[in-house]
Amino acid sequence: MEKLILTAAITGSVHVPTMSEHLPSTPKDIADDAVRAAEAGAAVVHLHARSPQDGRPSADLNHVREIVTSVKKRSDVVICITTGGGVGMTVEQRAAVVPEFKPEMASFNMGSMNFGLFPIKERYKEFKYEWEPAYLDASRDMVFKNTFKDLEGFCKIMRENGTKPELECYDVGQIYNAAYMLRAGHLDTPIHMQFVMGILGGITPTVDNMIHMKRVADEEFGAGKFTWSVIGAGYPAEFHLGAVATVLGGHVRVGMEDNLRLSRKEKCKSNADLVEKMARIIQNLDRDLATPDDARKMLGLKGKDKVNF
Ligand code: KMH
Ligand code: ZN
């Protein structure tokens, strides 16, 4: 089997600061944690920004710039910037990072859907910041908008800026959306997919479901003709699905964007904790970890010197 690309998703926009005192929230903390995750074995870091004042998910390009320039200066890791953003951000705000930074990779969400974070609110009586309960509640009436027109727009800017899209598929139907976009000439081969499993509004994170998603992708794109990775949102899905994907020849994403727990008894203290644990599982299953440069070759990325930051 080829080497395994381990991605670390550092902070995201799903979790709120109340959930973990270790969730990196300032641009400096996000960048520091990304560098440590790379040192622990991640070949790719998936990055969102948060406001340094209160940890709220941020679409401010200055916050993103602070993070990506700091990571690039200190690490060779592949930087994948989100275009998924967070609750309340417009498609235009989410897409702006691509022409601005021309990253090697960016996430590309493959369909409109419900994206329910509101059950998290019920788990807490008090919140660290005032914005958190309202933010979680807003997801009750939010459509995560990625219409076909939006998908065409994302394809266009990624192509124009030499950014490799990572196709985030939260359910089987979104794999068919990706296949349509490829047939219609909007995407280039080879494609790289991320099966995102465990979001309320998407598919549940079971092994059966992951194998079904892989089977559908094989049928649509041809077995061995695309690369794929898995996110199991939550614990233990992150590690269980990661282990099965390792055996099946896939790639794996872990990180505090998707899961805050290191074991049944213990929360993680950093992204590096999660990366180290997953790296051990991968190596025990006899897959070698890809370096950032291996990942660049395997994914056909343009190179770190061709970004705009
Ligand atoms: N937060 C994950 C469930 C994105 O940033 O574009 C999905 C994600 C999407 O990472
Ligand atoms: Zn993300």
Side-chain angles (χ1 to χ4, degrees), residues 95-108:
V97 291
V98 178
E100 179 69 24
F101 300 112
K102 306 185 190 305
E104 288 187 85
M105 275 182 103
S107 65
F108 178 17

Side-chain angles (χ1 to χ4, degrees), residues 121-127:
K121 192 183 142 198
E122 311 313 322
R123 294 194 227 149
Y124 298 89
K125 285 202 175 65
E126 282 175 21
F127 288 88

Side-chain angles (χ1 to χ4, degrees), residues 9 12-13 46 48 82 85 107 253 257:
S13 59
H46 168 84
H48 291 238
T82 182
S107 65
R253 167 170 136 178
E257 170 160 351

Side-chain angles (χ1 to χ4, degrees), residues 14 46 48 82-84 107 109 115 168 170 196 199 253 257-258:
V14 166
H46 168 84
H48 291 238
T82 182
T83 69
S107 65
N109 294 271
F115 202 117
E168 319 285 330
Y170 296 73
V196 187
I199 297 300
R253 167 170 136 178
E257 170 160 351
D258 309 311

